[in-house]
């Protein structure tokens, strides 16, 4: 039976797994009279190979579908869409430093910076909304950026 599986799969690990599965199936056939044990054993082995093949095909189809949805390919090579664990931790730490640095800004400077960068207002729109000059907005933005670069870096 080992040779039977080996010729059809070509992989030693799979042969051992199939042999064990075959043994378990044969153990379940207690008390039944089998007229041709050799043919029965080969039929069980063939069915196991078919089950394995179907399982592999389902797994490959499932993996291919998942890969199409969650991966990008360039030149036949997968490109990971998500950063590795180290990059994610570094990004979280940098975000924490940025948040703390923003909290340390004077209230008016923080508000000007927030409206311009996160509210996506122009300098003129920010100045109009806060009732200050455009020059003042530029000075607040400059002060905020210098502070953030000093605290967080580039």
């Amino acid at each position: 039976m080992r040779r039977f599986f080996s010729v059809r799969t070509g992989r030693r690990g799979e042969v051992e797994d199939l042999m064990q599965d075959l043994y378990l199936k044969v153990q379940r056939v207690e008390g039944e009279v089998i007229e041709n044990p050799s043919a029965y054993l080969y039929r069980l082995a063939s069915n196991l190979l078919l089950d394995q093949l179907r399982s592999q095909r389902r797994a490959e189809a499932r993996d291919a579908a998942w890969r199409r949805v969650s991966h990008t390919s360039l030149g036949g090579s997968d490109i990971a869409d998500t950063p590795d664990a180290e990059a994610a931790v570094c990004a979280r730490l940098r975000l924490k430093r940025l948040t703390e640095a923003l909290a340390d800004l004077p209230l008016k400077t923080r508000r000007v910076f927030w409206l311009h960068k996160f509210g996506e207002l122009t300098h003129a729109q920010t100045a109009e909304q806060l009732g200050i000059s455009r020059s003042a907005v530029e000075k607040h933005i400059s002060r905020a950026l210098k502070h953030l670069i000093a605290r967080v870096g580039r």
Side-chain angles (χ1 to χ4, degrees):
M1 292 314 304
R2 238 183 256 290
R3 193 173 322 125
F4 177 81
F5 287 136
S6 182
V7 166
R8 284 157 182 78
T9 64
R11 293 183 218 118
R12 186 167 188 233
E14 287 182 27
V15 170
E16 296 303 320
D17 289 343
L18 288 167
M19 287 297 294
Q20 186 173 7
D21 291 343
L22 182 62
Y23 175 77
L24 292 173
K25 283 197 178 280
V26 169
Q27 288 296 316
R28 288 188 213 137
V29 187
E30 288 184 34
E32 291 184 37
V33 177
I34 299 171
E35 292 180 24
N36 189 346
S38 179
Y40 181 76
L41 197 58
Y42 277 98
R43 173 56 63 195
L44 282 177
S46 293
N47 288 345
L48 280 173
L49 283 170
L50 283 173
D51 289 345
Q52 182 190 42
L53 181 62
R54 287 181 188 132
S55 177
Q56 284 175 346
R57 285 185 181 161
R58 280 192 308 270
E60 288 169 2
R62 181 186 60 240
D63 291 349
W66 179 80
R67 186 172 300 280
R68 275 192 307 276
V69 172
S70 63
H71 281 76
T72 304
S73 292
L74 181 64
S77 298
D78 283 341
I79 300 172
D81 292 341
T82 56
D84 60 19
E86 184 178 352
V89 169
C90 289
R92 276 192 217 105
L93 291 173
R94 189 168 182 178
L95 179 62
K96 182 180 179 200
R97 286 194 315 263
L98 177 67
T99 306
E100 290 169 353
L102 280 171
D104 289 344
L105 288 170
L107 182 61
K108 186 115 177 170
T109 303
R110 186 177 345 140
R111 190 153 184 235
V112 168
F113 183 79
W114 190 266
L115 286 172
H116 177 63
K117 292 297 183 182
F118 300 112
E120 298 181 358
L121 298 180
T122 64
H123 287 194
Q125 292 168 330
T126 304
E128 186 179 323
Q129 185 165 345
L130 296 175
I132 59 176
S133 70
R134 185 172 175 189
S135 173
V137 169
E138 290 170 356
K139 288 177 185 172
H140 282 293
I141 298 283
S142 177
R143 189 178 307 133
L145 289 173
K146 285 178 186 174
H147 174 76
L148 293 175
I149 288 170
R151 290 278 308 272
V152 180
R154 289 191 178 223

